[in-house]
Every structure is written in C-alpha cells, then in structure tokens.
C-alpha cells in the first residue's frame, strides 16, 4: 500500500514518504527489530543487513547493541525498557513475538486521549503490529502512522491482557528508538515559571539523560519533547530528530547512550510512580509520540511540527479561523474591578480596534484575592450586579466579543464547593495537604467530579454570550492519590487525572463548538501538544516582558506554531521584570503569535492610544501571515551574547513576509549588520517597508524594491549611522514588511 511496504520473504515493513523512511523487520527469533528511522531509503529493497538476527542466534555477549522495536527487560538488553509488566508470579520479564500485522489507509484515534488525525484517508497510512508474550498472555499492538506530506511518523502502543490473571504495567512508553551512534546533542526546552521553554543544549554522554515531570502536568520546567541534533546542525543544515509527546501529564523524555555507543530514545508516560492494573480482557493505550526527522536543520523539524500541529492536531471551529485581537484585564486590574471599570476598559479597547474583551480571575464567589472561591462558579454580584450575562451583553453592545477566565480543576479551601465536598480535593487521608496558592486540586480522576464540573460550566457557558474561555491551572498536584481508587490502583492516579481533564475538555469543546478555548497554566505550565488538541491557542507565559518573550517564543517555536502562542502587550514597568521597554517593541514581539493586550486601556496616554490603534490595525492587516505564516528563525537570542534576535514569517506563496529584528542593548559606533532572510522567492522583487516607519538610514537603505535573491544572499541593511545610534537606544525593535511586486 502507498506509504507502507511489506516484504513477506524478509519480514520487512518499510514506512516511507519522500522525506523519511522507517524500517522494521520480523527477526528470525520472532521479535521485531528496528532497522532504520531517518533519511528516505529506496523502496523495493531489503534492509535486513542493517539489523542483527537477534539475541538467540548471536554471540554470548548479552549487552549487544541490537535494536529492538519495543524493548523489554530481563532478556539481556540492560538498557532501559519500553515495557515492563508485573505478572502473577511476580516476574516482570517479557519477550514480545510477532503475531500479525495490518496496514490501512488513514489513521485511527485513541479513545480518551488526544492525537493527530487525518481528514482524508490518503493523507496518511497506518500500520499495526500485533505482538504477544507467551507466558504472561500480554498482547501488545504497536501502532504507526506515516503522514504523506510530513517527515513524520507517529507511534503509540496498546497493551491488552489476553490471559486469565491480572497484569500490572509499570512502564509503557509511547516510543523507543535506537540510533546507531551517540554523536548527538540533546536539545531540550526547559525553564521555570516566567521563563519557560528556554533552549538548552547538552552533548550526550554514556548513561541516561532525561527531562521529566512528576507534577501531574507537563510543567513549566520542561516541554514533553526531546530533540537530537549533530554538533554541526544549524537552523538550515544538518540532521535532527524530534520526539514530541501528545500528552499533558507526567512524562519522561530520555536519551540513553549504551556501552557500545548507541543511543536509545524513550518518550512516554513517566514510569516513576506509574502502575496500571489490567484485568483479563482489559487494555491500556499510551499517548501518541510524534517523531520527526530533518536533514535540513532544526528549521525542517519546526516546519513539520508547525504544520501538523496547526492543521491536524488542533481541531474544531477555531482551528482555521483568524483569531481575534483581545484585551485581558488581569495585569490591568488584578482582582480590583467592577462592571463600570471593565466596560470603561472595553470601550477604550473598542475604539482602538480590539475585538475581544476577556474578563480574567476574580469574577466569581467572593474572590478579592487568590485565597478563596475557586470552585464556586457563580458570579460575584458585588462586582458584577448584572451578572456575567449583563456584562457580556454590554460588551457585545460595544461591538466586542466577550471572553471569560475559569480554573475548573481547582478548589479553594474557603469556598462553598470545599465546604460541601472536602473529599473532592486531592490528598492522602491522614496526611496534611501541601499549600500552594491557597488552593487544592480537584480529583478529576473521579468521573463524578468531572460530571459536576461539566454540569456547572456548561450552565455558565450557556448563560451568557461567551465567545472565548481561558482555562487556567495554577498549581501542581501534591499528596497524589484518589479516594476513588482502591489501594492497589493508586499508581493509576496521575494518568487518570489527565484522562479526566481531557474528558472535560472534550465534552465542553464539543458542547460549545463556537467558543474559542485558550489553555493556560500560570502561563506555560501545561503548554503541550495534548491540550492543543482541544484549545488551539495557549497562554505562552505569564512573563509579558518583551525581552524575556524573545527567548520564550523563540524556544516554543521549535515545536509550536504561531497560531498556538498567546502573546500580549502589557504595561511598563513590566510586572514580572520591572523593565521599561517601548510599547512599539512590546507589540513587535507580541505580533508573532496570537496577539492581544493585557493592561488597563483607560490609563493609556493619548500618544500610547495612537500607537496601540496603529498596532492593532497593523496586526489585523497582516493577521493571516502573523498567525499562520511559515515561521523562520534568523538570529537566536540563545547564541553569542544574545543581544540581537531576528525572525520572520512568510506566506505559502512566498509573496509576502514580515521580518522582526530586535536589539536589547544599544552599542555605540556599530559595525556593518546585514540580516539575511530565508524562504523568499529568488525570482521575485519585494517592496520593503518599515514598521514603525522611520526617516533614517534604515528606511532609506531598505525602502528600495529588492530582489528575493539579494535579500537571501546579502540581506536587509541594519546599519545605523553613527549619529543615529542614540535615536534607537536600548530595546529597539524594527519590523520589515516585504511584498512582492
Ligand atoms: C495565571 C495566569 O497565567 C494569568 O494570566 C492569570 O490568569 C492568573 N493566573 C489569574 O489568577
């Protein structure tokens, strides 16, 4: 079948498209060997010689670096296994043998879990390989999809108990991949609150190196992904592998260099603290791992992930729609607002061209600070005497849409919900609960709690003209455990929690298809592919400082498309850093994402209002390009002294582009500075204009119509005359708009 070739005589399965090949083979001893994932290989050939025959027929050196497709423990491969299952006799050894396989067009979903999808069967081809372990009667289905137009193979696994006694899964990775050398640099997106997704590089060394989460959420600390690149790989050249997990809970992303210089990558649910009981006949599905390969540098990986995640992971009414320019009152008022104040902000915002007003935290229960009321999702009439409905109608009457903040997974100790159901908060009986932001996490592993939240929230969403929901999540889980699970199933808790979150998201987004959902977790604390399947955009970080955002958005762009990254202009001094950047720079950074404002519009000066109106108009004029264009990274804030950053977005037909150039600190008497662009059409001529418009050398030198070839080979001029340096100052941002003649 197109996309996957089966060769019965060699037992070889070859998943292929123009950009990648993935080859496995049924070995002589019955297990599945991994022969290759990476650059495309010719079809119609046997690659048997790339893999060894298997332990049975090989030398007595146990640790031999044979590559098994889904390695298990106990058989002489001492690297970390992909699957371990405790059996009735207490052993955990498995030997998975080939039973059958099936190739089919299209792609199947995973019940209860988010995953990438196709809209027509010819977009992808899928393979399922059935494996079985004799003594335990465990049945394992390895599932693969190769996408026709992307250098991507996705993998996931289903484990079924085909026997008569209980099985207990303690490790079930979504993918394991053995690469034949260890000459790799591991790229991870790591950080903390307000500095999420910073790029960190480390050379692989013997042993295990990983990122992981045990928080019950993917976390601010690490993205659920792992990238491998050669030391020489750049943005545009060299090999790179991407491994990205479509999951929002505890994950493990690990590279293990074995004793013979091979690299094993594992990605999936974090085995630490995980145990899942399979009764006879029951099955368990892992999340999906999305593997990408590029021979054209990191840019090739990003392009693949951006397209797939924007078009075939995000879903629903808002997937392809232009996202509105919003204003959110959080940094503008925090908890101190009333209806008049909000309508005043919205009125100014409307006059500036903003399209959506979002009411953030503090509208419900009796919440004047963060110590109470989570869980009480009814309006606080002291602040909003006409209710959410009354406010929303006034906002709509102004000509804006109305959006609302919720934090469904939480409960405050001081709340009616907690008084009624103290046992709904996650905790371990007999132990005190760890305090964090004065709130506890509701046990969404219990279906009755998900049902309650669905009932309450659907009533709320139906009660007023609400066009947008910001779904926040502000603390991680401690004292993990569920009263809804028996003692021997507590190891299932974290995964069941996330299944509950997905269930609630799925039910609400299905019931309210017209509402645009934005996910949030104290900024980017659960910014991951799993939630992208329900909420097509996410609040990238609570850090709205333009300089900090350069790094955060650059890092996130390794995997995530512009259409997924919420980016707002906020007031100065910045509330996270105290930094004073010009409002033009704040906008020039936030334009590259889903744009909005996060400030009290009534306190803008007339000059600032004029700038904001111009910014909003600019964004609306170029929205398609800024939300859905081909994003290209040009100059990294993580390289050199990080003083300059540049990126661009290009239309699919290459006729339009917007380039963003940012300089943190000014330097006197500067040298020559050229910014070479990419992805333009060498044969076209582009009219280059500047935003904000300038009357200096930058404007003069670039305002001539220029060839795509020139802009690519020589670049834009960023030279500033000596006497002009001072006029730019620190925190200088310059956009260039390119339009083909
Ligand atoms: C954390 C979010 O990231 C902020 O944007 C804001 O919504 C606050 N929570 C509200 O408590």
């Amino acid at each position: 079948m197109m996309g996957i070739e089966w060769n019965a005589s060699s037992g070889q399965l070859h998943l292929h498209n123009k950009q990648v090949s993935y080859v496995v083979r049924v070995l002589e001893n019955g297990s599945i060997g991994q022969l290759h994932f990476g650059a495309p290989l010719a079809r119609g050939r046997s690659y048997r010689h790339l893999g060894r025959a298997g332990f049975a027929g090989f030398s007595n050196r146990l640790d031999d670096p044979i590559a098994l497709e889904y390695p298990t423990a106990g058989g002489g491969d001492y690297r970390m296994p992909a699957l371990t299952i405790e059996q009735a006799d207490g052993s955990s050894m498995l030997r998975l043998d080939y039973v059958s396989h099936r190739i089919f067009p299209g792609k199947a979903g995973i019940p209860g879990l988010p995953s990438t999808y196709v809209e027509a069967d010819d977009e992808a081809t899928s393979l399922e390989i059935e494996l079985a372990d004799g003594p335990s009667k465990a049945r394992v289905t390895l599932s693969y999809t190769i996408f026709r137009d992307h250098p991507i193979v996705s993998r996931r696994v289903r484990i079924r108990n085909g026997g008569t006694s209980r099985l207990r899964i303690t490790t079930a990775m979504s993918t394991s991949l053995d690469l034949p050398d260890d000459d790799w640099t591991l790229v991870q997106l790591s950080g903390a609150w307000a500095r999420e997704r910073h790029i960190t590089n480390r050379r692989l060394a013997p042993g295990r190196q990983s990122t992981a989460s045990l928080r019950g959420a993917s976390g601010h600390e690490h993205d659920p992904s792992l990238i491998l690149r050669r030391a020489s790989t750049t943005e545009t050249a060299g090999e790179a592998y991407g491994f990205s997990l479509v999951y929002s809970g505890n994950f493990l992303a690990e590279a293990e260099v074995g004793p013979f210089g091979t690299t094993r990558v594992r990605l999936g649910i974090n085995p630490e603290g995980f145990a899942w009981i399979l009764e006879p006949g029951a099955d368990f599905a892992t999340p999906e791992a999305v593997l990408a390969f590029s021979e054209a540098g990191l840019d090739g990986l990003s392009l693949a992930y951006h397209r797939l995640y924007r078009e075939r992971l995000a879903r629903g009414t808002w997937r392809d729609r232009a996202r509105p320019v919003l204003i959110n009152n959080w940094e503008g008022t925090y908890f101190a607002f009333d209806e008049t104040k909000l309508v005043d902000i919205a009125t100014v915002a409307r006059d500036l061209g903003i399209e959506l007003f979002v009411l953030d935290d503090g509208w419900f229960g009796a919440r004047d600070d963060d110590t109470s009321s989570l869980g009480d999702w009814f309006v606080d009439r002291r602040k909003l005497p006409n209710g959410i409905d009354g406010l929303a109608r006034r906002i709509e009457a102004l000509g804006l849409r109305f959006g609302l903040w919720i934090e469904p997974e939480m409960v405050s100790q001081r709340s009616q919900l907690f008084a009624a159901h103290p046992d709904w908060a996650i905790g371990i009986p007999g132990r005190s609960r760890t305090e964090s932001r004065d709130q506890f996490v509701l046990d969404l592993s219990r279906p009755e709690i998900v049902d309650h939240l669905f009932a309450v929230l659907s009533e709320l969403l139906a009660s007023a003209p609400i066009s947008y929901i910001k779904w926040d999540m502000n603390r991680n889980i401690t004292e993990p455990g569920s009263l809804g699970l028996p003692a021997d199933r507590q190891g299932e808790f974290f995964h069941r929690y996330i299944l509950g979150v997905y269930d609630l998201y799925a039910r609400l987004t299905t019931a309210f298809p017209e509402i645009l959902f934005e996910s949030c977790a104290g900024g980017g604390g659960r910014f991951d592919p799993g939630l992208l399947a329900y909420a097509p955009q996410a609040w990238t970080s609570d850090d709205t400082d333009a300089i900090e955002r350069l790094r955060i958005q650059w890092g996130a762009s390794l995997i995530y498309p512009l259409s997924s990254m919420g980016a707002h202009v906020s007031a100065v001094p910045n509330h996270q850093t105290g930094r004073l950047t010009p409002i033009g720079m704040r906008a020039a950074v936030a334009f590259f994402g889903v744009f909005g404002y996060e400030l009290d519009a009534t306190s803008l000066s007339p000059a600032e209002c004029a700038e904001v109106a111009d910014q909003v108009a600019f964004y609306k004029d170029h929205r398609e390009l800024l939300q859905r264009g081909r994003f290209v990274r040009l100059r990294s804030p993580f390289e050199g002294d990080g003083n300059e950053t540049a990126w661009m977005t290009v239309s699919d037909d290459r006729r339009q582009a917007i380039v963003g150039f940012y300089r943190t600190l000014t330097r006197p008497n500067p040298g020559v500075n050229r910014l070479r662009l990419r992805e333009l059409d060498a044969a076209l001529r582009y009219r280059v204009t500047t935003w904000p418009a300038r009357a200096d050398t930058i404007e003069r030198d670039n305002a001539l119509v220029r060839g795509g070839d020139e802009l690519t080979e020589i670049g834009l001029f960023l030279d500033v005359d000596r006497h002009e340096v001072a006029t730019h100052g620190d925190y200088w941002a310059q956009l260039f708009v390119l339009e083909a003649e």
Side-chain angles (χ1 to χ4, degrees):
M1 187 176 297
M2 195 202 80
I4 301 181
E5 192 181 66
W6 161 242
N7 181 326
S9 62
S10 62
Q12 175 180 291
L13 286 152
H14 182 174
L15 293 76
H16 56 81
N17 64 23
K18 290 200 179 89
Q19 303 174 75
V20 287
S21 278
Y22 193 114
V23 191
V24 300
R25 189 170 84 81
V26 185
L27 303 178
E28 281 63 25
N29 68 0
S31 40
I32 302 289
Q34 199 173 63
L35 306 190
H36 170 76
F37 172 53
L41 299 176
R43 280 175 274 161
R45 285 195 201 152
S46 163
Y47 295 102
R48 183 189 198 126
H49 50 282
L50 297 180
R52 302 253 179 79
F55 285 114
F58 202 63
S59 75
N60 58 6
R61 192 173 74 183
L62 283 177
D63 245 336
D64 201 81
I66 188 156
L68 285 183
E69 186 57 6
Y70 202 57
T72 52
D77 178 351
Y78 296 107
R79 291 165 295 173
M80 297 308 290
L83 180 69
T84 49
I85 301 180
E86 281 175 25
Q87 299 147 45
D89 64 0
S91 69
S92 291
M93 149 120 207
L94 293 167
R95 222 202 95 108
L96 299 176
D97 288 322
Y98 172 84
V99 177
S100 64
H101 75 269
R102 182 170 87 92
I103 298 171
F104 55 96
K107 183 175 193 292
I110 317 176
L113 282 167
S115 59
T116 60
Y117 58 92
V118 294
E119 289 199 330
D121 275 350
D122 64 353
E123 290 178 13
T125 311
S126 295
L127 163 69
E128 286 179 359
I129 306 177
E130 281 291 320
L131 306 171
D133 175 62
S136 70
K137 303 277 188 297
R139 306 283 292 206
V140 174
T141 308
L142 307 179
S143 296
Y144 305 77
T145 295
I146 181 153
F147 289 86
R148 184 191 58 205
D149 301 326
H150 303 291
I152 283 179
V153 171
S154 96
R155 286 187 62 179
R156 61 197 169 86
V157 178
R158 203 180 48 169
I159 300 134
R160 192 164 57 81
N161 185 348
T164 50
S165 36
R166 263 185 168 197
L167 298 176
R168 188 166 174 268
I169 305 169
T170 52
T171 300
M173 304 310 287
S174 298
T175 193
S176 171
L177 188 79
D178 285 354
L179 295 167
D181 71 75
D182 63 355
D183 189 18
W184 296 103
T185 296
L186 188 160
V187 184
Q188 62 194 64
L189 303 178
S190 297
W193 174 81
R195 47 182 171 82
E196 298 93 337
R197 284 177 187 73
H198 283 205
I199 293 180
T200 304
N201 291 289
R202 48 173 155 157
R203 282 301 288 263
L204 291 188
R208 296 159 64 188
Q209 33 251 287
S210 61
T211 57
S213 169
L214 281 171
R215 301 167 171 270
S218 46
H220 295 94
E221 293 67 23
H222 304 291
D223 188 75
S225 64
L226 181 156
I227 289 171
L228 295 180
R229 65 171 182 84
R230 300 293 185 189
S232 57
T233 297
T234 63
E235 277 294 327
T236 52
E239 288 175 292
Y241 285 94
F243 303 83
S244 164
L245 191 65
V246 185
Y247 192 55
S248 312
N250 291 348
F251 73 91
L252 171 71
E254 180 179 272
E256 179 180 5
V257 173
F260 301 104
T262 59
T263 302
R264 170 169 295 172
V265 176
R266 296 192 304 158
L267 183 68
I269 293 175
N270 194 342
E272 178 67 37
F274 169 83
W276 193 278
I277 289 176
L278 277 189
E279 296 292 351
D283 63 8
F284 177 82
T286 73
E288 179 181 30
V290 179
L291 283 58
F293 172 74
S294 164
E295 285 185 292
L298 296 174
D299 178 69
L301 282 190
S302 299
L303 176 65
Y305 281 121
H306 291 179
R307 290 202 171 141
L308 187 73
Y309 284 0
R310 191 181 65 216
E311 288 157 17
R312 294 293 182 267
L313 176 59
R315 63 195 77 211
T317 321
W318 281 96
R319 184 189 72 184
D320 301 334
R321 273 199 205 160
R323 311 285 169 70
V325 178
L326 67 80
I327 184 159
N328 177 306
N329 72 309
W330 178 242
E331 287 196 13
T333 66
Y334 293 106
F335 296 100
F337 58 81
D338 57 19
E339 184 175 309
T340 308
K341 177 72 190 171
L342 300 178
V343 171
D344 287 351
I345 293 176
T347 305
V348 176
R350 187 268 319 269
D351 293 342
L352 300 176
I354 292 170
E355 299 159 312
L356 168 71
F357 173 84
V358 179
L359 171 54
D360 210 278
D361 195 354
W363 58 265
F364 50 91
R367 189 161 163 95
D368 295 327
D369 54 34
D370 58 15
T371 62
S372 85
S373 303
L374 292 167
D376 297 345
W377 301 112
F378 44 81
V379 75
D380 180 352
R381 297 224 173 234
R382 293 172 309 155
K383 293 181 188 173
L384 304 174
N386 301 306
I388 290 297
D389 184 43
L391 172 66
R393 286 186 194 286
R394 282 186 73 185
I395 301 285
E396 289 235 319
L398 291 172
L400 293 164
R401 309 309 294 268
F402 177 77
L404 193 63
W405 177 98
I406 53 174
E407 194 178 4
E409 297 155 70
M410 300 293 153
V411 63
S412 305
Q413 195 158 3
R414 286 206 294 129
S415 67
Q416 295 182 18
L417 184 68
F418 189 79
H421 298 286
D423 61 308
W424 282 14
I426 291 168
I428 300 176
R431 291 185 185 275
S432 58
R433 293 190 180 97
T434 301
E435 296 285 338
S436 177
R437 213 196 186 205
D438 280 297
Q439 64 194 58
F440 300 131
V441 187
L442 290 170
D443 183 357
L444 267 67
S445 75
R446 287 164 66 179
E448 69 272 26
I449 301 180
V450 175
D451 289 345
H452 162 83
L453 290 170
F454 177 67
V456 169
L457 294 171
S458 36
E459 195 183 318
L460 170 69
L461 299 193
S463 73
I466 295 171
S467 303
Y468 161 108
I469 282 290
K470 175 176 171 186
W471 178 322
D472 204 349
M473 194 283 289
N474 282 305
R475 72 154 285 178
N476 290 136
I477 293 171
T478 55
E479 293 77 41
S482 174
L483 297 178
L485 293 170
D488 58 356
R489 284 191 180 266
Q490 292 295 324
E492 301 176 13
F493 164 72
F494 273 119
H495 184 58
R496 286 191 185 275
Y497 177 85
I498 284 297
L499 293 178
V501 173
Y502 289 150
D503 184 31
L504 187 57
Y505 253 113
R507 287 159 72 179
L508 285 171
T509 51
T510 305
F512 298 93
E514 287 299 318
I515 294 182
L516 169 61
F517 281 76
E518 176 156 346
S519 74
C520 174
R526 209 169 51 186
F527 186 115
D528 58 52
L531 285 193
L532 208 47
Y534 306 97
Q537 61 190 62
W539 183 223
T540 317
S541 176
D542 272 348
D543 196 336
T544 50
D545 178 290
I547 301 300
E548 296 301 314
R549 274 293 186 128
L550 290 170
R551 287 164 170 255
I552 294 167
Q553 291 172 211
W554 177 286
S557 82
L558 240 56
I559 293 183
Y560 301 98
L562 292 175
S563 59
S564 68
M565 283 188 233
H568 301 170
V569 172
S570 62
V572 291
N574 180 270
H575 294 196
Q576 291 75 38
T577 62
R579 193 175 278 135
L580 287 141
T581 53
I583 198 164
M585 170 157 213
R586 282 173 264 155
V589 176
F591 280 161
F592 289 82
V594 183
F595 183 63
Y597 291 81
E598 179 120 359
L599 41 71
D600 178 359
T602 64
S603 54
L604 292 170
S605 68
E608 285 173 324
C609 280
E611 281 201 65
V612 170
D614 178 51
Q615 292 165 0
V616 174
F618 179 88
Y619 188 79
K620 286 182 178 167
D621 279 351
H622 302 286
R623 176 160 26 201
E624 174 69 16
L625 204 48
L626 292 166
Q627 290 181 353
R628 306 181 59 84
R630 159 100 157 86
F631 186 69
V632 180
R633 293 176 297 264
L634 298 172
R635 200 169 280 183
S636 172
F638 294 102
E639 282 169 20
D641 66 0
N643 197 43
E644 292 184 354
T645 301
W647 54 41
M648 65 188 288
T649 167
V650 189
S651 62
D652 287 341
D653 65 5
R654 298 174 196 247
R655 297 188 63 82
Q656 290 182 312
I658 299 178
V659 181
F661 169 77
Y662 313 90
R663 195 184 61 197
T664 306
L665 295 181
T666 191
R667 302 264 152 81
N669 194 10
V672 173
N673 200 349
R674 299 279 184 278
L675 181 64
R676 291 176 65 174
L677 308 183
R678 298 211 310 272
E679 296 304 319
L680 298 175
D681 185 335
L684 288 175
R685 292 178 65 74
Y686 295 87
R687 182 180 307 280
V688 181
T689 53
T690 51
W691 186 95
R694 331 191 47 92
D696 59 11
T697 21
I698 294 285
E699 173 76 17
R700 209 174 45 244
D701 291 350
N702 290 296
L704 311 163
V705 176
R706 307 267 303 276
D709 51 353
E710 260 183 84
L711 289 162
T712 307
E713 302 303 332
I714 300 162
L716 289 168
F717 303 114
L718 297 172
D719 308 335
V720 181
D721 276 354
R722 249 158 55 168
H723 67 275
E724 286 170 354
V725 167
T727 64
H728 291 79
D730 290 341
Y731 311 133
W732 172 42
Q734 187 64 57
L735 301 191
F736 298 90
V737 180
L738 278 59
E739 264 159 309
E741 287 225 297

